[in-house]
Amino acid sequence: MNALPFAFAYPAILGALVALPVIWWLLRLTPPRPKTEVFPPLKILATVLKREETPAQSPWWLTLLRMLLAAAVILAIADPVFNPRTNSLAAGGPLVLFVDNSWATAPDWERRVQTAEALIDDAESAGSPVAIAFTADPTNDAVPGTAAVARDKLRAAEPKPLLPDRQRAFEALRAALNGTKPGTLAFLSDGAASRDNETVVRDLANLQPAELRLVEGDRAQTIAITGAANAADAMTVTATRLDTAAASQLPLTAQDAQGRAIAAGSVTFQPGQSVATGSIAAPFEMRNDFARVSIDAHATAGSVHLLDDGFKRRRVVLLSGEAGDEFQPLLSPLYYIQRALQPYADLIEPNSPDLATSIPDLLAQNPSVIIMADIGRLPQETYEPLQRWIANGGTLIRFAGPRLAAAPADDPLVPVTLRQGERALGGALSWAEPQPLADFPNFGPFAGMARPTDVTIKRQVLAEPTPDLAERTWASLADGTPLVTTKPISAGRIVLFHVSAEATWSNLPISGNFVEMLRRIVQLSRSGGVTSEAGAASTAEALPPFRLLDAKGVLTTETGTARPLIPNAKAAPVSNFDNPPGLYGSEDGFTALNVLPDNAELKPLDTAGVTVIRAGLIGGETWSAKPALFLIAFLLLLADSLIVMFMSGAFSRLRPAARSAALIAVAIAAGFFLQPHDLRADDSKPGDDLILQRLDNTHLAYVVTGEQDVDNISERGLEGLTEFLTYRTTLEPAPPVGLDLTKDELSFYPIIYWPVSASAPMPSTAAINRIDAYMRAGGTVLFDTRDQFSALDNSGGAQSANGERLQQILANLDIPPLEPVPSDHVLTKSFYLLSSFPGRYAGSPLWIEARQDNRASDPKSAASADGVSPILITGNDFAGAWAVDENGTPLLPTVPPDEAQREYAYRAGVNIMMYMLTGNYKTDQVHVPALLERLGQ
């Protein structure tokens, strides 16, 4: 794609350079400087007749300046281009574009589109068909077609917050080609291997293209966070990068649930290092509020690591079979447990030693974990509430001891069947020496921990062998006997340490591994607490999508086609087409799913054994020097003019004040022409032509939120309503207008549609004040939360994120009391007869100004405007139902799919517009008979 590093677009123009010697000779001549003489006419004539003047020679430096000016103009006309792109597609087959649109392509996606469009243009010039496939799309229609179809597919594509599934895309491409050999096959790659031993480059080469190109972007932008752990004194963050050439230090930012930065840290890469670990130091209470960790200045889904309930502080109840001895605290069963969990959890101890009364009281506080140290028998009435608490998601951790060893074998709160008595040195079930621990299995919470070499076990309780004992063992001794066992019960679990919680049976409680083991088990529990009441939510159920990441690392409420996440206790979930990265669950509790799995490593794409032509993206590499050369020529011309004026004495004949003013004027003019941006009359406010255009036509207006998807739907939705109004009514509105609330004039529009988005920036105080003034002056704002919820009805419980943002906006506006549209309101009959106002959804009412027949009108309130409500609020997504493409085809389906609902959505839009434009006219028509009767007609 890149041929020579430098070339001229019009090389024939360079032939003018041979004329530079002639230009040199001509430019050396300059007219003589005028001489000032006192008026004696005869003396002047005598001087003229006495000698003949010849032109003088200009200084060599002035001649050189003029030569440089001429050379700059010639070179600029020749248009020198650096890294020019040439049409070099291979013939003999279609152009095939194999495009990565993964999370790593988000920073330079526009350049990737430009590169692909340039290749499509070349194919169109050559008359070759084009096939295109995207690796982050679940399906691909890669059949070779026209260049126009390929452009449409390219413009409709966008980067996804996913790893590329190149094998799926390749299979679709191979089936579409059906044995046809490509001409040029361009692989626009993100540069990273999507999985180990990936063979996509060799697979593409097996298609036997005449030319295989590998087009890559800037690898330095491909950086991702692959793990975050809440350690005792800081949060450790693991990151990986693709470009390992140079050392790099990246800033890290931790944000809370509202998106506010509350802590910072850094991660440092050494040369040649692809994986590095950094930290964010903060108090544990602050780290408990972390909702996400991100790498500054890298706006990708991979540079963001979402944190879920697993990082939050738990409430842990501590129960012991015996009271602690304050004179010998090291012998207390709870001493080491308290020291291990105190930095990570809120610890609760019973106020009464009577477990029959203390356990129900403790369960009423909704703990996440209950730890029992050497408790054998519990009061009978406590088993049922404890079992309900576990089934609803609680985690019970038990430690062995003499009491548990003597407990009945049918204890329902023990994960395995225990043998009576304990195994000890010198006993019948004994070993010759204390036993060390075996390696931790690759499942369970201890997976990945190194085997502790300094821990030995002297005594333990034994489990009866069962077929599933190995699957329920999280840790074991070197001889294979279980040390930590577990049993899931509905949404909760029971965990048993087969040793005591103090150091009499083993030295495990005094080792550092004990702290990490307890912390990992506690982190498995539910953070929000668990109740023993029946009907509590179960964490084993599928989790619906709550917030999803886009390719730029922004959480959005748009869930699209995402499916609920099914928890898997044996393996961590992995993001895919059905479960894109984001938060799954609800506001009460959620699970974070990130782009890359934990401890993943970015590796370059494997091209070994394959001949590829490497190329870069266009846009940054290819650039023309023509503008710079013309600017240099203009500056040289300006300098030459000033020098000639000085040499001719133009400034010396001016008075001092005039001379200074002239110099200032020249400087201002030069500064004006050298401005980097053009100044336009409409930069600060609209010009007269635009004002007249807006006044002569009725425009539907919408608020520009800054989110491209939301703004596109708003524009297309109002365009669809405009077409419907033109077709069904005598009103013929002009195209819709997007408004910047801080700058644009609002009084030109009868109604402004405002799509509320929680992920968009909060409007400024100035914007809120302008909207308030607009409503006071008689304008109407239609707020649409687009989530089907009734944002003003608090009886239903929690609000949506968009509803909360709407409440924040309304809190700063002076609005009248609101009510759902009454059945006899003029809005229901302003054009069509309607009983409801559906949009894309149909479950939210339309809120308007409440009737105040018996209330005095406040002239300062927005509610006094001509009988028309200054505010309308819905959650039914009107613009989504109205939105159409250029062919008039609806862009979004209604929920549920029903074209009759879309028709009524359009009718609702017509009624709203007629209500805006006619005001109380329709209402007055109801009283026409009474008015005529009073007039005696």
Side-chain angles (χ1 to χ4, degrees):
M1 186 174 295
N2 293 339
L4 299 175
F6 177 82
F8 287 92
Y10 307 100
I13 302 298
L14 297 178
L17 293 176
V18 300
L20 284 181
V22 178
I23 298 175
W24 173 276
W25 180 76
L26 292 174
L27 292 179
R28 293 186 64 198
L29 303 179
T30 184
R33 178 177 179 177
K35 181 183 291 186
T36 304
E37 296 284 354
V38 181
F39 180 76
L42 297 178
K43 185 176 180 179
I44 294 176
L45 292 175
T47 303
V48 173
L49 295 175
K50 182 181 296 184
R51 63 169 185 247
E52 181 180 354
E53 294 285 354
T54 57
Q57 292 183 350
S58 63
W60 67 269
W61 49 269
L62 181 59
T63 303
L64 179 61
L65 183 145
R66 294 173 175 175
M67 291 290 295
L68 292 176
L69 188 153
V73 171
I74 295 172
L75 292 176
I77 296 175
D79 192 9
V81 178
F82 290 85
N83 294 327
R85 195 187 68 83
T86 59
N87 185 349
S88 56
L89 293 182
L95 168 67
V96 176
L97 298 177
F98 195 71
V99 183
D100 277 343
N101 57 331
S102 62
W103 65 269
T105 62
D108 53 5
W109 178 250
E110 293 301 326
R111 291 180 58 197
R112 293 175 182 272
V113 171
Q114 293 174 14
T115 303
E117 285 183 337
L119 291 171
I120 294 174
D121 292 342
D122 294 343
E124 187 176 34
S125 300
S128 301
V130 181
I132 186 169
F134 299 94
T135 61
D137 287 356
T139 58
N140 279 285
D141 180 10
V143 177
T146 63
V149 173
R151 286 195 195 94
D152 292 340
K153 293 179 181 178
L154 181 63
R155 291 166 185 169
E158 59 182 5
K160 304 293 181 62
L162 297 169
L163 292 173
D165 191 345
R166 295 175 178 135
Q167 190 61 38
R168 181 196 292 239
F170 172 76
E171 295 297 336
L173 176 63
R174 182 170 60 180
L177 291 177
N178 194 24
T180 302
K181 296 181 180 180
T184 293
L185 195 161
F187 181 13
L188 277 70
S189 170
D190 60 15
S194 60
R195 55 186 175 84
D196 294 338
N197 302 320
E198 187 177 42
T199 61
V200 63
V201 177
R202 287 189 287 274
D203 293 338
L204 293 175
N206 291 336
L207 296 177
Q208 300 180 7
E211 178 188 55
L212 178 58
R213 293 185 186 178
L214 181 60
V215 183
E216 294 181 344
D218 185 7
R219 290 189 176 186
Q221 298 292 324
T222 308
I223 301 173
I225 298 178
T226 59
N230 212 351
D233 54 351
M235 172 171 282
T236 59
V237 179
T238 303
T240 179
R241 62 175 181 170
L242 189 59
D243 185 5
T244 61
S248 177
Q249 184 175 13
L250 302 175
L252 300 173
T253 299
Q255 298 174 334
D256 61 8
Q258 285 73 39
R260 298 171 296 191
I262 56 177
S266 63
V267 57
T268 302
F269 289 91
Q270 301 299 329
Q273 188 178 16
S274 62
V275 178
T277 301
S279 64
I280 301 177
F284 183 82
E285 292 76 11
M286 182 178 292
R287 283 183 276 126
N288 205 45
D289 292 334
F290 289 177
R292 57 187 284 167
V293 180
S294 60
I295 301 176
D296 294 350
H298 286 76
T300 66
S303 64
V304 172
H305 191 81
L306 300 176
L307 307 176
D308 54 20
D309 296 351
F311 290 82
K312 295 184 179 180
R313 198 176 183 93
R314 269 50 172 188
R315 179 175 295 174
V316 178
V317 169
L318 302 181
L319 297 176
S320 173
E322 63 180 27
D325 189 347
E326 61 181 3
F327 298 103
Q328 293 180 326
L330 297 181
L331 298 180
S332 170
L334 298 176
Y335 178 81
Y336 296 105
I337 298 176
Q338 290 172 332
R339 296 302 183 273
L341 292 180
Q342 198 166 19
Y344 308 104
D346 294 327
L347 305 181
I348 305 173
E349 296 189 45
N351 296 323
S352 171
D354 184 2
L355 297 181
T357 59
S358 60
I359 287 181
D361 293 340
L362 294 171
L363 290 177
Q365 301 183 46
N366 299 336
S368 299
V369 179
I370 295 178
I371 297 180
M372 296 181 179
D374 191 21
I375 294 180
R377 294 179 174 88
L378 289 170
Q380 189 63 36
E381 62 269 23
T382 63
Y383 280 97
E384 184 178 354
L386 276 173
Q387 288 175 308
R388 289 201 307 267
W389 174 81
I390 296 172
N392 290 335
T395 299
L396 175 64
I397 303 176
R398 303 192 68 173
F399 284 85
R403 293 176 177 80
L404 183 62
D410 58 351
D411 189 344
L413 298 181
V414 175
V416 293
T417 303
L418 298 179
R419 292 184 179 182
Q420 294 296 313
E422 69 270 8
R423 183 187 189 193
L425 290 173
L429 298 173
S430 65
W431 49 72
E433 58 184 12
Q435 287 289 303
L437 269 64
D439 292 332
F440 293 113
N442 58 2
F443 61 89
F446 309 144
M449 288 182 57
R451 180 180 68 87
T453 58
D454 56 343
V455 174
T456 55
I457 309 300
K458 296 182 294 183
R459 181 176 296 180
Q460 69 170 152
V461 292
L462 291 174
E464 290 286 355
T466 57
D468 60 346
L469 182 60
E471 298 177 0
R472 293 159 59 181
T473 300
W474 283 351
S476 60
L477 303 182
D479 63 358
T481 57
L483 177 66
V484 181
T485 54
T486 183
K487 178 183 180 181
I489 298 180
S490 295
R493 62 172 56 86
I494 301 175
V495 180
L496 173 63
F497 281 78
H498 290 240
V499 294
S500 63
E502 24 74 30
T504 56
W505 285 26
S506 71
N507 62 350
L508 176 63
I510 61 176
S511 69
N513 294 276
F514 184 70
V515 177
E516 182 64 16
M517 293 170 73
L518 273 183
R519 187 188 70 83
R520 292 195 178 197
I521 296 176
V522 169
Q523 291 299 102
L524 290 178
S525 64
R526 293 180 58 187
S527 65
V530 181
T531 177
S532 61
E533 297 298 327
S538 174
T539 56
E541 298 175 354
L543 303 175
F546 176 54
R547 298 282 190 275
L548 295 183
L549 274 180
D550 63 12
K552 294 184 178 180
V554 178
L555 276 176
T556 65
T557 58
E558 301 293 336
T559 58
T561 59
R563 296 183 178 180
L565 180 67
I566 301 177
N568 187 350
K570 296 183 179 181
V574 179
S575 61
N576 51 45
F577 296 116
D578 293 333
N579 299 125
L583 303 177
Y584 288 81
S586 64
E587 293 181 354
D588 298 330
F590 48 77
T591 295
L593 182 61
N594 290 290
V595 178
L596 296 177
D598 290 343
N599 303 318
E601 180 180 356
L602 292 175
K603 298 179 181 179
L605 199 64
D606 184 14
T607 59
V610 182
T611 302
V612 297
I613 300 175
R614 294 185 178 271
L617 301 176
I618 67 172
E621 291 81 2
T622 302
W623 60 279
S624 173
K626 178 190 288 188
L629 289 173
F630 272 125
L631 178 61
I632 293 173
F634 173 76
L635 294 176
L636 293 176
L637 178 61
L638 184 63
D640 180 85
S641 301
L642 293 176
I643 292 171
V644 170
M645 293 175 67
F646 273 107
M647 293 179 62
S648 63
F651 290 101
S652 63
R653 293 192 297 270
L654 296 176
R655 295 179 181 179
R659 187 183 307 134
S660 300
L663 292 176
I664 293 174
V666 171
I668 293 176
F672 176 80
F673 284 110
L674 294 180
Q675 284 290 327
H677 302 289
D678 295 335
L679 296 179
R680 297 174 298 184
D682 59 344
D683 279 348
S684 58
K685 58 183 180 179
D688 294 340
D689 294 339
L690 182 59
I691 292 177
L692 292 175
Q693 179 184 357
R694 299 286 170 82
L695 291 176
D696 288 344
N697 299 277
T698 299
H699 295 264
L700 307 184
Y702 64 94
V703 174
V704 176
T705 64
E707 296 183 336
Q708 185 176 0
D709 293 342
V710 176
D711 295 339
N712 288 343
I713 292 299
S714 297
E715 181 182 10
R716 300 311 308 169
L718 295 188
E719 182 66 31
L721 181 59
T722 297
E723 295 177 1
F724 191 89
L725 285 165
T726 303
Y727 178 71
R728 295 289 183 92
T729 71
T730 57
L731 177 64
E732 296 181 2
V737 177
L739 297 180
D740 183 347
L741 296 181
T742 60
K743 295 188 297 185
D744 292 331
E745 180 57 46
L746 307 181
S747 60
F748 300 155
Y749 313 100
I751 185 171
I752 297 176
Y753 178 80
W754 190 332
V756 180
S757 176
S759 55
M762 179 69 183
S764 64
T765 303
I768 295 295
N769 292 338
R770 299 189 76 218
I771 279 290
D772 192 53
Y774 166 78
M775 292 194 297
R776 290 180 187 276
T780 298
V781 181
L782 171 57
F783 293 93
D784 194 343
T785 58
R786 305 170 296 113
D787 52 15
Q788 200 178 1
F789 294 133
S790 176
L792 302 180
D793 188 2
N794 295 326
S795 62
Q799 295 181 358
S800 66
N802 291 350
E804 293 177 355
R805 172 56 59 86
L806 175 62
Q807 295 284 11
Q808 296 172 5
I809 295 174
L810 297 183
N812 299 314
L813 291 174
D814 183 17
I815 61 174
L818 304 176
E819 66 177 355
V821 176
S823 59
D824 60 342
H825 194 275
V826 64
L827 196 53
T828 63
K829 51 196 173 188
S830 59
F831 194 87
Y832 293 101
L833 296 178
L834 298 177
S835 59
S836 62
F837 296 85
R840 189 170 172 234
Y841 310 105
S844 173
L846 179 62
W847 294 80
I848 61 170
E849 175 189 357
R851 295 179 178 178
Q852 302 181 21
D853 297 337
N854 301 323
R855 192 175 305 174
S857 177
D858 182 5
K860 296 182 179 180
S861 172
S864 61
D866 193 25
V868 176
S869 177
I871 182 172
L872 303 175
I873 299 176
T874 185
N876 286 335
D877 192 7
F878 280 161
W882 301 334
V884 295
D885 59 16
E886 289 77 8
N887 299 322
T889 304
L891 291 178
L892 300 175
T894 60
V895 179
D898 185 6
E899 287 306 308
Q901 179 175 324
R902 191 183 306 277
E903 172 66 19
Y904 280 102
Y906 278 116
R907 294 185 178 186
V910 172
N911 274 26
I912 291 173
M913 279 304 301
M914 293 304 170
Y915 174 61
M916 294 301 106
L917 297 175
T918 61
N920 53 14
Y921 167 76
K922 291 287 185 178
T923 304
D924 292 340
Q925 300 309 299
V926 178
H927 306 291
V928 167
L931 294 175
L932 293 177
E933 181 180 359
R934 288 187 181 184
L935 293 174
Q937 298 180 5

